[in-house]
Amino acid sequence: MATILAVETSCDETAVAIVKNRYIYSNVVASQISLHQSYGGVVPEIASRQHLVTINPLISKALVDSGLNWNQIDAIACTSAPGLVGALLVGLSAAKTLAIVQEKPFLGVHHLEGHIYASYLSEPELQPPFLCLLVSGGHTSLILVKDCGEYESLGTTRDDAAGEAFDKVARLLDLGYPGGPVIDRLAKTGNPEAFPLPEGKISLPGGGYHPYDCSFSGLKTAVMRLVTQLRQDDPHHLPVADLAASFQATIARTLTQRAIACALDCGIKNIAVGGGVAANSGLRAYLTEAARQHDLQVYFPPLKLCTDNAAMIACAAAEHFDRGHRSSLNLGVQSRLAVTEVMKLYNM
Ligand code: KG4
Ligand code: ZN
Protein backbone atom coordinates (compact mmCIF):
# COMPACT_ATOMS: atom_id res chain seq x y z
CA MET A 1 0.00 0.00 0.00
CA ALA A 2 1.61 3.19 -1.22
CA THR A 3 1.97 6.52 0.57
CA ILE A 4 1.64 9.40 -1.89
CA LEU A 5 2.19 13.14 -1.64
CA ALA A 6 -0.08 14.82 -4.21
CA VAL A 7 -0.51 18.34 -5.48
CA GLU A 8 -3.69 19.71 -7.09
CA THR A 9 -3.71 23.09 -8.88
CA SER A 10 -6.12 22.56 -11.80
CA CYS A 11 -8.36 25.54 -11.04
CA ASP A 12 -8.68 27.95 -8.12
CA GLU A 13 -7.68 25.84 -5.12
CA THR A 14 -4.05 25.13 -4.27
CA ALA A 15 -4.09 21.77 -2.50
CA VAL A 16 -1.56 19.28 -1.12
CA ALA A 17 -2.26 15.99 0.64
CA ILE A 18 -0.53 12.87 1.87
CA VAL A 19 -2.55 9.67 1.61
CA LYS A 20 -1.76 6.01 2.22
CA ASN A 21 -4.09 3.92 0.10
CA ARG A 22 -7.47 5.17 1.42
CA TYR A 23 -6.22 6.79 4.64
CA ILE A 24 -5.61 10.57 4.79
CA TYR A 25 -2.50 11.67 6.75
CA SER A 26 -2.87 15.33 5.79
CA ASN A 27 -5.06 17.35 3.45
CA VAL A 28 -4.56 21.09 3.09
CA VAL A 29 -6.41 23.41 0.72
CA ALA A 30 -5.85 27.14 0.11
CA SER A 31 -8.89 28.54 -1.64
CA GLN A 32 -8.46 31.50 -3.97
CA ILE A 33 -12.18 32.32 -4.13
CA SER A 34 -11.80 35.76 -2.52
CA LEU A 35 -9.26 36.78 -5.23
CA HIS A 36 -11.64 35.89 -8.06
CA GLN A 37 -14.90 37.03 -6.47
CA SER A 38 -14.83 40.61 -7.75
CA TYR A 39 -14.47 39.27 -11.34
CA GLY A 40 -17.52 37.00 -11.01
CA GLY A 41 -15.50 33.89 -11.92
CA VAL A 42 -12.02 32.38 -12.06
CA VAL A 43 -9.37 34.49 -13.86
CA PRO A 44 -6.78 31.96 -15.13
CA GLU A 45 -3.74 34.27 -14.89
CA ILE A 46 -4.56 35.27 -11.31
CA ALA A 47 -5.05 31.57 -10.45
CA SER A 48 -1.59 30.56 -11.77
CA ARG A 49 0.17 33.43 -9.98
CA GLN A 50 -1.53 32.64 -6.69
CA HIS A 51 -0.67 28.92 -6.99
CA LEU A 52 2.98 30.00 -7.28
CA VAL A 53 2.74 31.99 -4.04
CA THR A 54 0.96 29.25 -2.10
CA ILE A 55 2.38 25.95 -3.32
CA ASN A 56 5.66 25.71 -1.33
CA PRO A 57 4.26 26.71 2.09
CA LEU A 58 1.39 24.28 1.50
CA ILE A 59 3.74 21.37 0.70
CA SER A 60 5.63 22.08 3.94
CA LYS A 61 2.37 22.25 5.91
CA ALA A 62 1.08 18.97 4.45
CA LEU A 63 4.32 17.24 5.43
CA VAL A 64 4.32 18.68 8.98
CA ASP A 65 0.58 17.87 9.46
CA SER A 66 1.16 14.28 8.34
CA GLY A 67 3.87 13.63 10.93
CA LEU A 68 5.77 11.71 8.21
CA ASN A 69 9.20 12.31 6.71
CA TRP A 70 10.29 12.04 3.06
CA ASN A 71 11.58 8.48 3.59
CA GLN A 72 8.02 7.35 4.33
CA ILE A 73 6.65 8.71 1.04
CA ASP A 74 6.71 6.34 -1.92
CA ALA A 75 5.86 8.68 -4.79
CA ILE A 76 4.88 12.21 -5.80
CA ALA A 77 1.72 12.88 -7.81
CA CYS A 78 -0.09 15.86 -9.28
CA THR A 79 -3.13 16.65 -11.38
CA SER A 80 -1.85 16.92 -14.95
CA ALA A 81 -5.19 17.10 -16.86
CA PRO A 82 -7.76 18.49 -17.45
CA GLY A 83 -7.77 22.06 -16.15
CA LEU A 84 -6.35 25.55 -16.64
CA VAL A 85 -3.00 25.11 -18.38
CA GLY A 86 -1.08 27.78 -16.44
CA ALA A 87 -2.52 26.61 -13.13
CA LEU A 88 -1.76 22.93 -13.85
CA LEU A 89 1.82 23.81 -14.82
CA VAL A 90 2.56 25.20 -11.35
CA GLY A 91 1.53 21.94 -9.65
CA LEU A 92 3.25 19.80 -12.28
CA SER A 93 6.55 21.70 -11.94
CA ALA A 94 6.41 21.49 -8.14
CA ALA A 95 5.63 17.75 -8.20
CA LYS A 96 8.32 16.90 -10.75
CA THR A 97 10.91 18.93 -8.83
CA LEU A 98 10.05 17.06 -5.61
CA ALA A 99 10.22 13.74 -7.46
CA ILE A 100 13.69 14.56 -8.80
CA VAL A 101 15.09 16.02 -5.56
CA GLN A 102 13.64 13.30 -3.32
CA GLU A 103 14.35 10.56 -5.90
CA LYS A 104 10.77 9.28 -5.96
CA PRO A 105 8.60 8.02 -8.83
CA PHE A 106 6.23 10.58 -10.38
CA LEU A 107 2.58 10.11 -11.38
CA GLY A 108 0.29 12.49 -13.29
CA VAL A 109 -3.37 12.07 -12.34
CA HIS A 110 -6.58 12.83 -14.25
CA HIS A 111 -8.63 15.35 -12.25
CA LEU A 112 -11.93 13.53 -12.81
CA GLU A 113 -10.43 10.21 -11.76
CA GLY A 114 -9.49 12.09 -8.58
CA HIS A 115 -13.13 13.10 -8.03
CA ILE A 116 -14.10 9.43 -8.47
CA TYR A 117 -11.51 8.38 -5.87
CA ALA A 118 -12.94 10.91 -3.35
CA SER A 119 -15.71 8.33 -2.84
CA TYR A 120 -13.17 5.66 -1.84
CA LEU A 121 -11.78 8.00 0.83
CA SER A 122 -15.17 8.32 2.51
CA GLU A 123 -16.35 4.78 1.67
CA PRO A 124 -13.22 2.58 1.88
CA GLU A 125 -15.34 -0.55 1.31
CA LEU A 126 -16.73 0.72 -2.02
CA GLN A 127 -15.68 -1.49 -4.93
CA PRO A 128 -16.20 -1.23 -8.70
CA PRO A 129 -18.39 -1.51 -10.63
CA PHE A 130 -20.33 1.56 -9.59
CA LEU A 131 -21.74 4.64 -11.23
CA CYS A 132 -20.18 8.04 -10.50
CA LEU A 133 -22.30 11.16 -10.95
CA LEU A 134 -19.67 13.84 -11.27
CA VAL A 135 -21.06 17.34 -10.95
CA SER A 136 -18.62 20.24 -10.62
CA GLY A 137 -18.04 23.72 -11.95
CA GLY A 138 -16.42 22.36 -15.10
CA HIS A 139 -17.92 18.89 -15.56
CA THR A 140 -21.21 17.02 -15.48
CA SER A 141 -20.82 13.34 -16.27
CA LEU A 142 -22.17 9.90 -15.55
CA ILE A 143 -19.18 7.60 -15.46
CA LEU A 144 -19.27 3.83 -15.18
CA VAL A 145 -16.34 2.88 -12.96
CA LYS A 146 -15.16 -0.59 -14.03
CA ASP A 147 -11.71 -0.67 -12.46
CA CYS A 148 -8.74 1.59 -11.70
CA GLY A 149 -8.10 3.53 -14.93
CA GLU A 150 -11.04 1.87 -16.70
CA TYR A 151 -13.99 4.20 -17.17
CA GLU A 152 -16.89 4.51 -19.56
CA SER A 153 -18.57 7.85 -20.05
CA LEU A 154 -22.32 7.17 -20.29
CA GLY A 155 -23.82 10.63 -20.03
CA THR A 156 -22.77 14.24 -20.06
CA THR A 157 -24.04 17.80 -20.43
CA ARG A 158 -24.17 19.13 -23.96
CA ASP A 159 -23.33 22.67 -22.81
CA ASP A 160 -22.97 24.19 -19.32
CA ALA A 161 -21.81 22.08 -16.39
CA ALA A 162 -24.21 21.92 -13.43
CA GLY A 163 -21.96 24.10 -11.22
CA GLU A 164 -21.52 26.56 -14.08
CA ALA A 165 -25.33 26.85 -14.32
CA PHE A 166 -25.52 27.60 -10.57
CA ASP A 167 -22.78 30.24 -10.96
CA LYS A 168 -24.41 31.89 -14.01
CA VAL A 169 -27.89 32.00 -12.48
CA ALA A 170 -26.43 33.42 -9.24
CA ARG A 171 -24.77 36.17 -11.25
CA LEU A 172 -28.11 36.90 -12.93
CA LEU A 173 -29.70 37.27 -9.50
CA ASP A 174 -26.78 39.44 -8.24
CA LEU A 175 -25.82 36.84 -5.65
CA GLY A 176 -22.03 36.79 -6.27
CA TYR A 177 -19.53 33.97 -6.92
CA PRO A 178 -19.53 31.01 -6.41
CA GLY A 179 -23.25 30.68 -6.94
CA GLY A 180 -23.97 27.16 -5.70
CA PRO A 181 -23.72 27.69 -1.94
CA VAL A 182 -25.79 30.90 -1.92
CA ILE A 183 -28.53 29.50 -4.18
CA ASP A 184 -28.60 26.40 -1.97
CA ARG A 185 -29.07 28.57 1.13
CA LEU A 186 -31.79 30.77 -0.43
CA ALA A 187 -33.62 27.77 -1.89
CA LYS A 188 -34.30 26.52 1.65
CA THR A 189 -36.75 29.40 2.21
CA GLY A 190 -38.30 29.37 -1.29
CA ASN A 191 -41.03 27.39 -3.03
CA PRO A 192 -39.51 24.89 -5.52
CA GLU A 193 -42.80 24.82 -7.44
CA ALA A 194 -43.20 28.61 -7.72
CA PHE A 195 -41.93 28.73 -11.31
CA PRO A 196 -42.06 25.80 -13.74
CA LEU A 197 -38.72 25.69 -15.59
CA PRO A 198 -37.64 23.53 -18.55
CA GLU A 199 -35.60 20.41 -18.00
CA GLY A 200 -32.84 20.28 -20.60
CA LYS A 201 -33.77 17.18 -22.57
CA ILE A 202 -31.66 16.15 -25.57
CA SER A 203 -33.76 15.04 -28.54
CA LEU A 204 -32.64 11.99 -30.48
CA PRO A 205 -32.73 11.97 -34.31
CA GLY A 206 -35.23 9.09 -34.44
CA GLY A 207 -37.51 10.69 -31.80
CA GLY A 208 -37.54 10.51 -28.01
CA TYR A 209 -34.84 11.82 -25.69
CA HIS A 210 -31.31 10.82 -24.76
CA PRO A 211 -31.71 8.96 -21.46
CA TYR A 212 -28.52 10.17 -19.75
CA ASP A 213 -27.39 13.41 -21.45
CA CYS A 214 -28.67 16.79 -20.37
CA SER A 215 -28.39 20.49 -21.17
CA PHE A 216 -28.48 23.45 -18.81
CA SER A 217 -28.16 26.41 -21.17
CA GLY A 218 -31.92 26.46 -21.94
CA LEU A 219 -32.68 26.44 -18.22
CA LYS A 220 -30.31 29.38 -17.68
CA THR A 221 -31.99 31.31 -20.55
CA ALA A 222 -35.45 30.52 -19.14
CA VAL A 223 -34.40 31.93 -15.74
CA MET A 224 -33.00 35.02 -17.48
CA ARG A 225 -36.28 35.65 -19.34
CA LEU A 226 -38.29 35.04 -16.18
CA VAL A 227 -36.15 37.48 -14.18
CA THR A 228 -36.53 40.16 -16.88
CA GLN A 229 -40.30 39.67 -16.86
CA LEU A 230 -40.54 39.70 -13.05
CA ARG A 231 -38.41 42.89 -12.88
CA GLN A 232 -40.73 44.55 -15.38
CA ASP A 233 -43.80 43.48 -13.40
CA ASP A 234 -42.40 44.73 -10.09
CA PRO A 235 -39.06 46.60 -10.15
CA HIS A 236 -38.96 46.73 -6.33
CA HIS A 237 -39.28 43.08 -5.49
CA LEU A 238 -37.69 40.01 -7.08
CA PRO A 239 -38.81 36.70 -5.49
CA VAL A 240 -35.19 35.51 -5.26
CA ALA A 241 -35.82 32.62 -2.85
CA ASP A 242 -38.61 31.17 -5.05
CA LEU A 243 -36.43 31.58 -8.15
CA ALA A 244 -33.49 29.87 -6.41
CA ALA A 245 -35.68 27.02 -5.14
CA SER A 246 -37.35 26.45 -8.55
CA PHE A 247 -34.00 26.52 -10.38
CA GLN A 248 -32.30 24.19 -7.88
CA ALA A 249 -35.20 21.72 -7.94
CA THR A 250 -35.06 21.57 -11.76
CA ILE A 251 -31.31 20.81 -11.74
CA ALA A 252 -31.69 18.26 -8.93
CA ARG A 253 -34.57 16.50 -10.74
CA THR A 254 -32.68 16.45 -14.06
CA LEU A 255 -29.52 14.95 -12.54
CA THR A 256 -31.47 12.48 -10.41
CA GLN A 257 -33.53 11.15 -13.33
CA ARG A 258 -30.43 10.62 -15.48
CA ALA A 259 -28.43 8.94 -12.71
CA ILE A 260 -31.24 6.59 -11.65
CA ALA A 261 -32.11 5.62 -15.25
CA CYS A 262 -28.44 4.93 -15.99
CA ALA A 263 -27.91 2.82 -12.85
CA LEU A 264 -31.05 0.76 -13.48
CA ASP A 265 -30.21 0.21 -17.18
CA CYS A 266 -26.66 -0.91 -16.30
CA GLY A 267 -27.81 -3.08 -13.41
CA ILE A 268 -25.57 -1.07 -11.03
CA LYS A 269 -26.57 -0.87 -7.37
CA ASN A 270 -24.18 1.84 -6.14
CA ILE A 271 -24.08 5.50 -7.17
CA ALA A 272 -21.23 7.69 -5.86
CA VAL A 273 -21.58 11.44 -6.30
CA GLY A 274 -18.61 13.78 -6.60
CA GLY A 275 -17.69 17.40 -7.39
CA GLY A 276 -18.74 20.68 -5.78
CA VAL A 277 -22.44 20.34 -6.71
CA ALA A 278 -22.57 17.09 -4.68
CA ALA A 279 -22.77 19.50 -1.71
CA ASN A 280 -26.18 20.72 -2.92
CA SER A 281 -28.93 19.92 -0.42
CA GLY A 282 -31.60 19.72 -3.15
CA LEU A 283 -29.62 17.16 -5.15
CA ARG A 284 -28.84 15.18 -1.99
CA ALA A 285 -32.52 15.05 -1.02
CA TYR A 286 -33.88 14.16 -4.50
CA LEU A 287 -31.26 11.57 -5.31
CA THR A 288 -31.34 9.93 -1.88
CA GLU A 289 -35.14 9.57 -2.04
CA ALA A 290 -35.14 8.30 -5.66
CA ALA A 291 -32.39 5.80 -4.86
CA ARG A 292 -34.36 4.54 -1.86
CA GLN A 293 -37.44 4.03 -4.03
CA HIS A 294 -35.42 1.96 -6.52
CA ASP A 295 -33.47 0.05 -3.89
CA LEU A 296 -30.17 1.65 -4.92
CA GLN A 297 -27.38 2.89 -2.65
CA VAL A 298 -26.10 6.45 -3.04
CA TYR A 299 -22.90 7.84 -1.50
CA PHE A 300 -22.12 11.54 -1.02
CA PRO A 301 -18.57 12.25 0.25
CA PRO A 302 -18.19 14.98 2.90
CA LEU A 303 -18.01 18.48 1.43
CA LYS A 304 -14.23 18.79 1.91
CA LEU A 305 -13.76 15.80 -0.40
CA CYS A 306 -16.45 16.87 -2.93
CA THR A 307 -14.78 20.17 -3.81
CA ASP A 308 -11.27 20.23 -5.28
CA ASN A 309 -8.63 18.72 -2.98
CA ALA A 310 -5.37 16.79 -3.29
CA ALA A 311 -6.37 13.83 -1.10
CA MET A 312 -8.52 12.47 -3.94
CA ILE A 313 -5.57 12.89 -6.35
CA ALA A 314 -3.23 11.07 -3.95
CA CYS A 315 -5.78 8.28 -3.47
CA ALA A 316 -6.05 7.71 -7.25
CA ALA A 317 -2.24 7.85 -7.58
CA ALA A 318 -1.82 5.30 -4.75
CA GLU A 319 -3.82 2.68 -6.62
CA HIS A 320 -2.04 3.36 -9.92
CA PHE A 321 1.30 3.17 -8.11
CA ASP A 322 0.39 -0.20 -6.57
CA ARG A 323 -0.42 -1.48 -10.07
CA GLY A 324 3.03 -0.44 -11.29
CA HIS A 325 1.88 2.60 -13.26
CA ARG A 326 4.38 5.47 -13.49
CA SER A 327 4.42 8.71 -15.50
CA SER A 328 7.38 9.99 -17.45
CA LEU A 329 9.09 13.15 -16.22
CA ASN A 330 8.38 14.40 -19.77
CA LEU A 331 4.63 14.36 -19.10
CA GLY A 332 3.02 17.71 -19.88
CA VAL A 333 -0.29 19.25 -18.84
CA GLN A 334 -3.47 19.07 -20.93
CA SER A 335 -6.43 21.43 -20.72
CA ARG A 336 -8.71 18.66 -21.99
CA LEU A 337 -8.50 14.90 -21.67
CA ALA A 338 -11.41 12.45 -21.57
CA VAL A 339 -11.65 10.31 -18.44
CA THR A 340 -11.66 7.28 -20.74
CA GLU A 341 -8.05 8.18 -21.65
CA VAL A 342 -6.58 8.13 -18.15
CA MET A 343 -4.08 5.41 -19.02
CA LYS A 344 -2.36 7.74 -21.53
CA LEU A 345 -0.78 9.43 -18.50
CA TYR A 346 1.25 6.30 -17.66
CA ASN A 347 3.95 4.76 -19.76
CA MET A 348 5.47 2.30 -17.32
O1 KG4 B 1 -15.61 20.52 -7.78
P1 KG4 B 1 -15.46 22.00 -7.60
O2 KG4 B 1 -14.93 22.52 -6.28
O3 KG4 B 1 -14.52 22.62 -8.66
C1 KG4 B 1 -14.49 22.19 -10.00
O4 KG4 B 1 -13.75 21.20 -10.29
O5 KG4 B 1 -15.22 22.80 -10.79
O6 KG4 B 1 -16.91 22.63 -7.89
C2 KG4 B 1 -17.17 24.03 -7.84
C3 KG4 B 1 -18.63 24.23 -8.23
C4 KG4 B 1 -19.01 25.71 -8.36
O7 KG4 B 1 -19.68 25.89 -9.60
C5 KG4 B 1 -19.96 25.93 -7.19
O8 KG4 B 1 -20.96 26.90 -7.44
C6 KG4 B 1 -20.57 24.55 -7.00
O9 KG4 B 1 -19.50 23.66 -7.25
N1 KG4 B 1 -21.11 24.33 -5.66
C7 KG4 B 1 -22.41 24.10 -5.41
C8 KG4 B 1 -22.55 24.03 -4.00
N2 KG4 B 1 -21.31 24.18 -3.44
C9 KG4 B 1 -20.44 24.37 -4.48
N3 KG4 B 1 -23.46 23.99 -6.25
C10 KG4 B 1 -24.67 23.78 -5.71
N4 KG4 B 1 -24.89 23.70 -4.38
C11 KG4 B 1 -23.88 23.82 -3.49
N5 KG4 B 1 -24.12 23.73 -2.18
ZN1 ZN C 1 -12.87 19.44 -9.66
Side-chain angles (χ1 to χ4, degrees), residues 111 115 136-138 163-164 166-167 178-181 184 275-277 279-280 306-308:
H111 183 75
H115 275 301
S136 71
E164 196 178 352
F166 272 98
D167 294 338
D184 198 349
V277 183
N280 186 261
C306 289
T307 49
D308 286 351

Side-chain angles (χ1 to χ4, degrees), residues 242-265:
D242 285 348
L243 282 165
S246 303
F247 165 75
Q248 176 169 295
T250 309
I251 292 227
R253 250 194 330 263
T254 305
L255 293 171
T256 296
Q257 280 169 4
R258 307 292 186 283
I260 297 287
C262 190
L264 292 175
D265 291 350

Side-chain angles (χ1 to χ4, degrees), residues 71-92:
N71 292 334
Q72 293 166 288
I73 291 170
D74 296 304
I76 312 292
C78 72
T79 307
S80 63
L84 301 172
V85 165
L88 286 168
L89 268 174
V90 177
L92 182 92

